[in-house]
Structures are given as C-alpha cells and as structure tokens.
Amino acid sequence: MLSRYLLIVFALTLAACNRQEQTHTHPAEHPAEKYTCSMHPQVIQDKPGTCPICGMTLVKITSGGGSGNRVMLNEDQMKLANIRTAVARRGSVGETVIVNGTLMRDEEKSEVIGSRAEGRIERLYMKETGRPVRKGQPLYTLYSETLLTLQQEYLLAREQYDALGDTEKRYSSFMQAAEKKLLLYGLTRKQIEALTPEKALEPRITFVSPTSGIVTEIGVSEGAYVAEGTTLYRIENIDSLWVAAELYPGESALVKTGDYVTVRVNGFESSPVKARVRFLSPEYRDNSQVMTMRATIGNRDHRFAPGQQAQVSLTPSSRPAITLPADAVIRDGKGAHVYVMSGRNVFEPRMIKTGVETSDSVEITEGLLEGDTVAVRGAYLLYSEIILKKNSNPMAGHVH
C-alpha cells in the first residue's frame, strides 16, 4: 500500500518538473514585425522601407487587437490613392425624375439692331455671323441727310442757349429737345458733345452696339440704301440660356414655375448647375401629350452653347436627411457600407441602410450619424485593400 502511494507522488512530481522544464525551455515567441505596401499587398518585408514596385513607404502589418478590417494609410498613400473625405451632413433628398432637354438662346435677351434713319450703309464693322460683339463697339456707318439736318438743329439750339439762355429759359428746353432727338436716333452723348460750330458736320455717323453678345444675323451689305427701321443685325446675349424640355402628363405635375431644377449639360456632367423654371406651357402640344418647360441658367463664362443637349433632374418633394455622394457607398452581397474615419488616416467599414437615391447622392437611414467623417472618394480602393490584403469580406460577421 505504501509503495503505491509513493509511486503516485513520484508521478505527480515528475509531471510538474516536465511542465516547468517546458516553460523555461520554450519561452513565448513574439511574432516578427512585417511590412507591406498598401497598393501591392504581395510585397512583404521584415523591415521598414519602400515598395520595389511603386516606391511607396511600407506600412506595418498589424495583428491582434482592433478590427481586422481596419485600414491605415500614411499621407503619401492618401495622396496617391486620391482619398477624399467629407463630414456627413443633413441635406435635402427626394424622388428624382430625369428628362432630356436642349440649351436655347434666351429670346428675352435677343436684340434687333435696326437703321435709325433713312440712308446708305457706308461701312459694316461686323460682316460675319457668329462673331462676338461688346457693348459700345462700332457696328456700322450710315450716311444720312436726315441726321445731318438734326445735327444742324442741335447746334443752332445750343448757340441760342449759350447767347440767351440766362435770360430766356425757353432756349434751354429747345436745346434739350434737340439733344433728345439725336439720342433717339441712336447717337451717343459722347458723339453729341463732340459737335461744335467750328467743326464741319459729318453726315456719316458711326453707330455702336447697344449690347454685348453674338452676331447671329446680318440683314444688309455695304453700299445698300436702307429705310428707317430696316433690320441690320440681330445680336443674341448668351450670358444666360434657356433649357427647354418636354414633359409628359406624369412629369408636368412634378414641377411648377419658380422651382429650381438641376441641369447636367453633355460634356459637363461633373458640374451640374441650378436652373429656375420660368415658363410652363399652359396647354399640351397639338395631337400629343407633351408640355414645354423652360428654365434659365447662368452662362457668363460662355462655357455652354445653344444647341447642346442636357439632362434635367426634377425633384418635386424633398425632406431633410443625412446624405452622401453616391460614390461613397459600397455595395456587396452583405448589403451597403461606407468607410468611416476612426483615427488619423484610419478607416473602418460600417454597415448602413440607404433610402432615396438620386443620380449623385444617397440618403442614409441607418448606421451613420451626422458629423461622422466618411471617405467620399476612393472608397472602392479601401474596399479592395481589405479584399486583397486580408483576404476577407469587410462586412463578414455584420448583420443589419
């Protein structure tokens, strides 16, 4: 009995010694630090350095605590990947209907230049359509006996005023009437002030443009005799343009005069502009269910031209909601998610639910708070970073 007891004690002591020996013989091994390139995850090195493929600074591969799907970039990687962030804010969002439209000249800004008097066209300064013209720029020179007579009347009235104006007030009204008549015939005040008795009167008067714009029509040629009122030029001011669109019955109810719509001109889709609806046809076109809408857009830099095609976005009912650019939302089999900045240049995916979507924005109904900083450009690069480098789904284990 005693020998069995001693055998058990010996076995226990031997086991304890073996465990102690294993503890001292095999200390806990710390994994060696590894470094990789964010753009080329196949590059892995044991020490810091640069990527042999793209030259970017290598980043440490982290393991253990923290989210396994967290992505950390340095400043060079942020610039190279063109990562852009924005703070989630509340904006207006609503159902959007897109219709096709065409840019047109604003007829309210069209100017018809007619001959102010009967005479002969001595010179045309603008001989080609499509030419830009500035306000005050010479347009044509007219020889007119009528204008010569009016100049003589003005000089006589001014001479009488200079001699008797201090005692006879009526000469002041005579001179003002003669001056106004010359202004109505198209002479400028500078031209009138240049008239003097000492200077020989010139029956050839140069007329200047009353507005700036594009010459779209020339109605006469040099040497032609014209009557008073003959159309000489048509000038279109394109500092603002019309956007004309055709609406069907279901679309015409979405907009009213005074509303603002979003316009994307072909070739400038990345720079949408706001346009205000100025006109809605009171009736449908004959034998159709089409109504005409016109909205006005600014064009002071003349980057748009009449005849260009455009898309008009109608958003009839909007409500305040947290919105993000459409490129910020990543979709996969698990649903939709965005990349939220959790530290300096550190991003982690977050599952969200979306609501109303337009061509350029998405409503966020769940998963995001106002004030969160989100990657709005380059989100797909962050998504591929996790897929390629960590060989995992960013939303694995997330259930909404």
Side-chain angles (χ1 to χ4, degrees), residues 342-389:
S342 58
R344 181 175 177 80
N345 297 347
V346 178
F347 299 88
E348 57 184 13
R350 184 181 298 178
M351 203 74 173
I352 60 170
K353 281 189 175 181
T354 61
V356 174
E357 300 186 23
T358 66
S359 57
D360 58 354
S361 64
V362 179
E363 176 190 13
I364 310 300
T365 58
E366 292 183 21
L368 200 63
L369 299 176
E370 187 175 3
D372 286 341
T373 301
V374 181
V376 296
R377 183 182 297 177
Y380 271 99
L381 187 69
L382 299 175
Y383 175 74
S384 61
E385 172 81 357
I386 295 177
I387 294 293
L388 295 176
K389 180 181 291 186

Side-chain angles (χ1 to χ4, degrees), residues 1 8 14-15 20 27 69 85-86 118 158 179 181 207 270 278 326 335 388 391:
M1 184 69 180
I8 294 173
L14 181 62
Q20 184 176 6
N69 290 333
T85 61
E118 181 181 359
R158 193 168 76 177
E179 181 183 13
K181 189 177 294 186
F207 291 87
S270 61
R278 298 291 186 182
L388 295 176
N391 194 26

Side-chain angles (χ1 to χ4, degrees), residues 266-371:
N266 289 3
F268 300 88
E269 288 84 357
S270 61
S271 304
V273 295
K274 291 291 185 181
R276 190 172 187 180
V277 179
R278 298 291 186 182
F279 172 79
L280 284 172
S281 176
E283 59 184 3
Y284 291 105
R285 188 182 300 164
D286 291 342
N287 302 319
S288 72
Q289 291 295 308
V290 175
M291 175 183 290
T292 302
M293 179 199 77
R294 287 200 297 264
T296 303
I297 63 172
N299 188 39
R300 289 191 175 277
D301 54 0
H302 294 183
R303 61 173 176 163
F304 303 136
Q308 283 184 289
Q309 300 300 305
Q311 288 73 47
V312 182
S313 299
L314 310 178
T315 306
S317 58
S318 59
R319 63 181 184 279
I322 295 177
T323 60
L324 287 176
D327 291 341
V329 180
I330 306 299
R331 306 176 193 275
D332 57 16
K334 294 287 185 179
H337 65 277
V338 297
Y339 284 86
V340 180
M341 181 179 285
S342 58
R344 181 175 177 80
N345 297 347
V346 178
F347 299 88
E348 57 184 13
R350 184 181 298 178
M351 203 74 173
I352 60 170
K353 281 189 175 181
T354 61
V356 174
E357 300 186 23
T358 66
S359 57
D360 58 354
S361 64
V362 179
E363 176 190 13
I364 310 300
T365 58
E366 292 183 21
L368 200 63
L369 299 176
E370 187 175 3

Side-chain angles (χ1 to χ4, degrees), residues 222-236:
E222 289 182 349
Y225 281 85
V226 295
E228 183 177 350
T230 300
T231 298
L232 306 180
Y233 291 98
R234 180 181 294 272
I235 298 176
E236 305 283 356

